[in-house]
CSV table of all heavy atoms in Angstrom, one decimal:
chain,number,residue,atom,x,y,z
A,7,GLN,N,107.8,80.2,102.1
A,7,GLN,CA,109.1,79.9,102.7
A,7,GLN,C,108.9,80.0,104.2
A,7,GLN,O,107.8,80.4,104.7
A,7,GLN,CB,110.1,81.0,102.4
A,7,GLN,CG,110.4,81.0,100.9
A,7,GLN,CD,111.3,82.2,100.5
A,7,GLN,OE1,111.4,83.2,101.3
A,7,GLN,NE2,111.9,82.2,99.4
A,19,PRO,N,113.7,94.2,122.3
A,19,PRO,CA,113.5,93.4,123.5
A,19,PRO,C,112.7,94.3,124.5
A,19,PRO,O,112.9,95.5,124.6
A,19,PRO,CB,114.9,93.2,124.0
A,19,PRO,CG,115.8,93.3,122.8
A,19,PRO,CD,115.1,94.3,121.9
A,23,THR,N,105.8,93.3,119.9
A,23,THR,CA,105.7,94.0,118.6
A,23,THR,C,104.5,93.3,117.8
A,23,THR,O,104.5,92.1,117.7
A,23,THR,CB,107.0,93.9,117.8
A,23,THR,OG1,108.0,94.4,118.6
A,23,THR,CG2,106.9,94.6,116.5
A,28,ILE,N,101.8,97.3,106.0
A,28,ILE,CA,102.8,97.7,105.1
A,28,ILE,C,102.3,98.6,104.1
A,28,ILE,O,101.1,98.4,103.6
A,28,ILE,CB,103.5,96.4,104.5
A,28,ILE,CG1,104.8,96.8,103.9
A,28,ILE,CG2,102.6,95.7,103.6
A,28,ILE,CD1,105.8,95.7,103.8
A,43,GLN,N,101.4,94.2,130.9
A,43,GLN,CA,101.5,93.8,132.3
A,43,GLN,C,100.3,92.9,132.6
A,43,GLN,O,99.2,93.3,132.4
A,43,GLN,CB,101.5,95.1,133.2
A,43,GLN,CG,102.7,95.9,133.2
A,43,GLN,CD,102.6,97.1,134.1
A,43,GLN,OE1,101.6,97.4,134.7
A,43,GLN,NE2,103.7,97.9,134.2
A,44,SER,N,100.6,91.7,133.0
A,44,SER,CA,99.6,90.7,133.2
A,44,SER,C,98.7,90.6,132.0
A,44,SER,O,97.4,90.6,132.1
A,44,SER,CB,98.7,91.1,134.4
A,44,SER,OG,99.5,91.1,135.6
A,47,ALA,N,97.6,95.5,127.9
A,47,ALA,CA,98.4,96.6,127.3
A,47,ALA,C,98.4,97.8,128.2
A,47,ALA,O,97.3,98.3,128.5
A,47,ALA,CB,97.9,97.0,125.9
A,53,TYR,N,104.7,102.8,115.5
A,53,TYR,CA,106.0,103.0,114.9
A,53,TYR,C,106.0,102.8,113.4
A,53,TYR,O,105.1,102.1,112.9
A,53,TYR,CB,107.1,102.1,115.6
A,53,TYR,CG,107.5,102.5,117.0
A,53,TYR,CD1,106.6,102.3,118.1
A,53,TYR,CD2,108.7,103.1,117.2
A,53,TYR,CE1,107.0,102.8,119.3
A,53,TYR,CE2,109.1,103.5,118.5
A,53,TYR,CZ,108.2,103.3,119.5
A,53,TYR,OH,108.6,103.7,120.8
A,78,LEU,N,96.7,101.7,118.8
A,78,LEU,CA,96.8,100.3,118.4
A,78,LEU,C,96.3,100.1,117.0
A,78,LEU,O,95.5,100.8,116.4
A,78,LEU,CB,96.0,99.4,119.3
A,78,LEU,CG,96.4,99.3,120.8
A,78,LEU,CD1,95.3,98.8,121.7
A,78,LEU,CD2,97.6,98.3,120.8
A,83,GLY,N,95.2,103.8,104.6
A,83,GLY,CA,94.0,104.0,103.7
A,83,GLY,C,94.1,105.3,103.1
A,83,GLY,O,95.2,106.0,103.0
A,106,ILE,N,87.8,104.0,116.9
A,106,ILE,CA,88.6,104.0,115.7
A,106,ILE,C,88.7,105.5,115.2
A,106,ILE,O,87.8,106.2,115.1
A,106,ILE,CB,88.0,103.1,114.6
A,106,ILE,CG1,87.9,101.7,115.0
A,106,ILE,CG2,88.9,103.2,113.3
A,106,ILE,CD1,87.3,100.7,114.1
A,111,SER,N,98.1,111.9,106.6
A,111,SER,CA,99.6,112.0,106.5
A,111,SER,C,100.1,113.3,106.0
A,111,SER,O,99.4,113.9,105.1
A,111,SER,CB,100.0,110.9,105.5
A,111,SER,OG,101.4,111.0,105.2
A,118,ASP,N,98.6,114.6,110.9
A,118,ASP,CA,97.8,115.6,111.5
A,118,ASP,C,97.1,115.0,112.8
A,118,ASP,O,97.1,113.8,113.0
A,118,ASP,CB,96.7,116.1,110.6
A,118,ASP,CG,97.2,117.0,109.4
A,118,ASP,OD1,98.4,117.5,109.6
A,118,ASP,OD2,96.5,117.1,108.4
A,125,ALA,N,79.9,108.4,115.3
A,125,ALA,CA,79.0,107.4,115.7
A,125,ALA,C,78.5,106.4,114.7
A,125,ALA,O,77.9,105.4,115.0
A,125,ALA,CB,77.7,108.1,116.3
A,126,GLN,N,78.8,106.6,113.4
A,126,GLN,CA,78.5,105.6,112.3
A,126,GLN,C,79.4,104.4,112.5
A,126,GLN,O,79.0,103.3,112.1
A,126,GLN,CB,78.7,106.2,110.9
A,126,GLN,CG,77.7,107.2,110.5
A,126,GLN,CD,76.3,106.6,110.3
A,126,GLN,OE1,75.5,106.7,111.2
A,126,GLN,NE2,76.1,105.9,109.3
A,144,TYR,N,86.7,97.8,107.2
A,144,TYR,CA,86.3,96.7,107.9
A,144,TYR,C,86.7,96.9,109.4
A,144,TYR,O,87.8,97.4,109.6
A,144,TYR,CB,86.9,95.4,107.3
A,144,TYR,CG,86.5,95.2,105.9
A,144,TYR,CD1,87.2,95.8,104.9
A,144,TYR,CD2,85.4,94.4,105.6
A,144,TYR,CE1,86.8,95.6,103.5
A,144,TYR,CE2,85.0,94.2,104.2
A,144,TYR,CZ,85.7,94.8,103.2
A,144,TYR,OH,85.4,94.6,101.9
A,158,VAL,N,82.6,91.1,112.9
A,158,VAL,CA,83.2,92.0,111.9
A,158,VAL,C,82.1,92.7,111.2
A,158,VAL,O,81.1,92.1,110.8
A,158,VAL,CB,84.1,91.1,110.9
A,158,VAL,CG1,84.6,92.0,109.8
A,158,VAL,CG2,85.2,90.4,111.7
A,160,TYR,N,81.4,96.2,108.3
A,160,TYR,CA,82.0,97.1,107.3
A,160,TYR,C,81.2,98.3,107.1
A,160,TYR,O,80.0,98.3,107.3
A,160,TYR,CB,82.3,96.4,106.0
A,160,TYR,CG,81.1,96.1,105.1
A,160,TYR,CD1,80.7,96.9,104.2
A,160,TYR,CD2,80.4,94.9,105.3
A,160,TYR,CE1,79.6,96.7,103.4
A,160,TYR,CE2,79.3,94.6,104.5
A,160,TYR,CZ,78.9,95.5,103.6
A,160,TYR,OH,77.8,95.2,102.8
Side-chain angles (χ1 to χ4, degrees):
Q7 297 173 344
T23 304
I28 196 157
Q43 290 179 354
S44 300
Y53 282 74
L78 291 161
I106 300 174
S111 174
D118 289 340
Q126 286 294 101
Y144 300 87
V158 178
Y160 72 93

